[in-house]
Amino acid sequence: YSLWLGGQPAMRRAALRRAALALAAAVAGAKPRMKHGKPYPETKAECGVIMIGTGDYYLRYSARNAQRIAALAVGSGWCAAQPDLDHIPVVYFHDNTKAEALVRKGLSGAEPRFELFYLGTRANPTMAKFEALPTQRRWARDYKWLRPQTFARSPFRTTLNMDGDAVPCGARLVEAFRAFTRSQAAVAGLWHVEAKYSGLNTGFMAWDRDKAKSLLAAWADGMRRAILANGTVNHDQQTFAAALGATRGVSVLRFSEANVCRVCHRADKTSHCASTCPSDSCWVDHRDWGPKYNKAGIDGIAKVDGQSKWKLSPG
């Protein structure tokens, strides 16, 4: 084709150079195009909750819990770094290409109030600076690798991780943020003592992005070494406990069992749990719901505050 620029070759070449430079600048400044999302969550909030899910069944039902957390009317003043924040931002990390449809089904067609963020696959992550699974071998619980990676890349300055079965006790949930901020600790959670380790329960854990940076890096390193040495890793809490013990200068706040409630102390005559949150001191109900908690629990709990039909475990 011909380009009319007054018939002057020099002007024509200059115009072409300017066009080429403009195109190069536009390409360089453009954000990566990804089928399922972006390299980093969109939220700009200073405080918030992250959740992680992978399987179809888990995503569908835990989405209800994410929705419940994001819908809580908590008022302002709970986030020290952003005092005017009047809700709890939630980012749900996942690696499931069907997540949007599963969430819609789980929420019965309602619009999600939380940010659904696609990580990419474990072998080929698309999130910025996310490390791929350190082996090509796959196993049933290799999703545990996602935890230290997502914790380290949380978009929030102050983050609270919540498992899908960690059910918030209404607006009291923000008391976890307040207690953590007052403590000035790097990380906080309920302390567990098990046969093989003792340490924080990562299923309901808060941390400061800057203060916990070295700890989270050590956790990822430890899990990587365990995978390369053993071929698998089926738990994340042991490697986190080891990292906590080996990382100097990391202050820890131990949450109270009166606030992170893991046992139902009351039951009605039919041997069911009388309440989702058995005490007014509970910030969260994080008991072991059993293998069917997703369908029987989160589905019902997300709809009805304070009333559920959980059977107590024998003994």
Side-chain angles (χ1 to χ4, degrees), residues 17 43 45 58 78 87 118 122 197 199 213 228 268 278 303:
R17 279 197 300 271
T43 181
Y58 186 90
W78 62 274
H87 67 285
Y118 179 67
R122 285 162 223 182
Y197 77 99
K213 185 176 180 179
L228 293 175
D268 60 23
K303 294 179 181 178

Side-chain angles (χ1 to χ4, degrees), residues 79 97 107 147 161 171 220 248 265 313:
C79 175
T97 58
L107 299 181
R147 253 196 178 168
N161 175 70
R248 294 179 178 273
H265 295 288
S313 300

Side-chain angles (χ1 to χ4, degrees), residues 52-55 58 95 119 122 130-134 138-151 161 163-165 197 201-203 216 219-220 222-224 226-227 232-240 286 293:
I52 308 167
T54 58
Y58 186 90
D95 65 353
L119 296 168
R122 285 162 223 182
F130 202 96
E131 185 179 343
L133 189 70
R138 297 292 306 273
W139 66 96
R141 305 192 79 183
D142 60 10
Y143 58 85
K144 292 295 185 180
W145 171 249
L146 302 179
R147 253 196 178 168
Q149 297 292 316
T150 50
F151 278 36
N161 175 70
D163 279 357
D165 60 350
Y197 77 99
N201 183 337
T202 57
L216 298 178
W219 184 20
M223 188 173 288
R224 185 190 309 105
I227 291 171
T232 64
V233 65
N234 291 321
H235 303 281
D236 55 74
Q237 310 224 43
Q238 289 92 329
T239 51
F240 182 80
H286 194 200
Y293 77 87

Side-chain angles (χ1 to χ4, degrees), residues 180 183-188 206-209 211-212 215 249-253:
F180 177 61
S183 74
Q184 298 186 349
V187 62
W207 66 94
D208 179 280
R209 181 174 57 198
K211 294 178 182 178
L215 170 63
V250 176
S251 56
V252 177
L253 169 66

Side-chain angles (χ1 to χ4, degrees), residues 34-140:
M34 297 181 182
K35 181 178 179 181
H36 297 286
K38 298 180 179 180
Y40 205 69
E42 293 183 351
T43 181
K44 302 301 180 185
E46 297 288 349
C47 307
V49 165
I50 67 166
M51 299 177 68
I52 308 167
T54 58
D56 292 6
Y57 188 70
Y58 186 90
L59 265 166
R60 177 182 171 187
Y61 288 102
S62 62
R64 295 178 182 269
N65 205 28
Q67 188 83 333
R68 184 187 190 189
I69 296 165
L72 291 173
V74 297
S76 59
W78 62 274
C79 175
Q82 191 177 351
D84 61 342
L85 191 62
D86 62 359
H87 67 285
I88 303 177
V90 179
V91 176
Y92 195 123
F93 293 104
H94 69 92
D95 65 353
N96 193 316
T97 58
K98 299 179 291 183
E100 291 183 4
L102 291 166
V103 167
R104 281 197 299 271
K105 189 172 183 179
L107 299 181
S108 301
E111 186 71 19
R113 292 172 177 257
F114 53 91
E115 183 177 352
L116 195 61
F117 185 85
Y118 179 67
L119 296 168
T121 65
R122 285 162 223 182
N124 294 292
T126 53
M127 185 179 186
K129 299 181 180 180
F130 202 96
E131 185 179 343
L133 189 70
T135 177
Q136 293 183 349
R137 181 179 180 274
R138 297 292 306 273
W139 66 96

